[in-house]
Amino acid sequence: MIMSRHFAPRAFIWSELTRVELAAKRDAGALVIVPTGSIEQHADHLPVNTDSFLAAAVSQLAAARMTAAEVVVAPVVTAGFSPHHQSFAGTITVRLETFLALLGDTARSILASGFPRVLFVNGHGGNSAPLRALCGQLATDGVAAGMVDYIAPGEKDWLKTIRGGLMRQGHACEQETALMMTLSPADERHRIVAAARDLPARLIQPWIPPGLDEDPLTVFGGGWPPIFQADDCGYYGDPGVATPETGEAALEAIVAALAAFFDAFARTPLRLGTARDPGAPSISPALPPRR
């Protein structure tokens, strides 16, 4: 039920438009936003579609504030790269090569139908590195696709709303919990508030087994997946201090900055492909101004 909700007028929602209406969007040079998320465990207080739901919601809210160009928000791609959550029921993950193929085909399909540029707006940490690498390949292949994690443009502002012990985004953390409280229908909001209340903070990364305090990967900047095994609480952060009020403040900071990024992304010419003639560089032009 929660995934069927929209947070912008019908004119911004790809799945609600007819082919004629989408052709008009294409002819106006609309930016296509593709939210990406996951279906994975989010402890006992948040639903498994949290990342997908939040990516779609903030994308729609930000798209409705765009002024620089026409925009349309495609259906959220819920298939995410989440092998590190498979110890728990509810996680549906795809292999890395499947994820890359799915998102690559999605971008190529949209551009092949005549739209000028695609932007993936990501809500799941496990998708970030694969998406960044994929967009590097797509853009140098001449496919005009970029990506952004929805938390990134407004991070300095939404971090000011955090009250708990983890001053960053975690997993099923204070920030995600507060956003879900704010954006969910009343009955779901009440359930989340009750389920999250007084949960203890978990401030060490899930790749470290319980009872240990040293984390050389974080200290030295190494890499390791945040594996959530069956003995784990399923979250990383401080969800017990989340409130709907915190969620409202964080949501405004996230959406305002994301809308500004959408406008800037649409207005900016970007290099595209590989051009060996210095007199004929290949450019993805700025999108047409909104009518």
Side-chain angles (χ1 to χ4, degrees), residues 57-221:
V58 298
S59 292
Q60 292 171 13
L61 288 165
R65 296 193 191 187
M66 271 191 72
T67 59
E70 289 291 335
V71 62
V72 62
V73 181
V76 60
V77 179
T78 59
F81 183 60
S82 305
H84 45 292
H85 290 284
Q86 282 190 286
S87 296
F88 289 90
T91 297
I92 301 175
T93 186
V94 295
R95 297 185 65 82
L96 178 60
E97 56 268 31
T98 306
F99 179 76
L100 296 174
L102 173 62
L103 273 295
D105 285 352
T106 297
R108 291 185 179 93
S109 176
I110 290 168
L111 296 173
S113 68
F115 287 92
R117 198 178 284 183
V118 169
L119 179 66
F120 294 109
V121 177
N122 178 48
H124 167 52
N127 293 345
S128 295
L131 262 175
R132 194 170 296 274
L134 173 65
C135 289
Q137 178 174 288
L138 289 173
T140 51
D141 284 348
V143 180
M147 64 82 64
V148 67
D149 292 323
Y150 80 75
I151 61 169
E155 186 170 46
K156 65 179 177 57
D157 294 317
W158 69 256
L159 279 176
K160 297 174 185 175
T161 71
I162 296 299
R163 300 164 52 240
L166 184 68
M167 295 301 295
R168 52 162 289 186
Q169 188 186 46
H171 176 74
C173 56
E174 178 186 358
Q175 178 248 15
E176 286 190 335
T177 301
L179 288 178
M180 289 299 290
M181 289 175 179
T182 297
L183 289 166
S184 297
D187 56 344
E188 176 68 358
R189 179 185 308 119
H190 295 325
R191 186 200 66 79
I192 294 171
V193 168
R197 184 179 296 123
D198 299 326
L199 286 175
R202 191 271 187 85
L203 305 180
I204 193 162
Q205 288 277 10
W207 52 60
I208 301 297
L212 299 180
D213 295 324
E214 293 186 5
D215 181 359
L217 288 155
T218 296
V219 171
F220 291 98

Side-chain angles (χ1 to χ4, degrees), residues 1-7 35-39 47-60 76 78 150 179-185:
M1 180 185 70
I2 198 170
M3 283 297 296
S4 65
R5 299 183 67 212
H6 297 311
F7 294 88
T36 62
S38 65
I39 301 296
V48 296
N49 72 341
T50 291
D51 290 345
S52 296
F53 174 69
L54 291 178
V58 298
S59 292
Q60 292 171 13
V76 60
T78 59
Y150 80 75
L179 288 178
M180 289 299 290
M181 289 175 179
T182 297
L183 289 166
S184 297

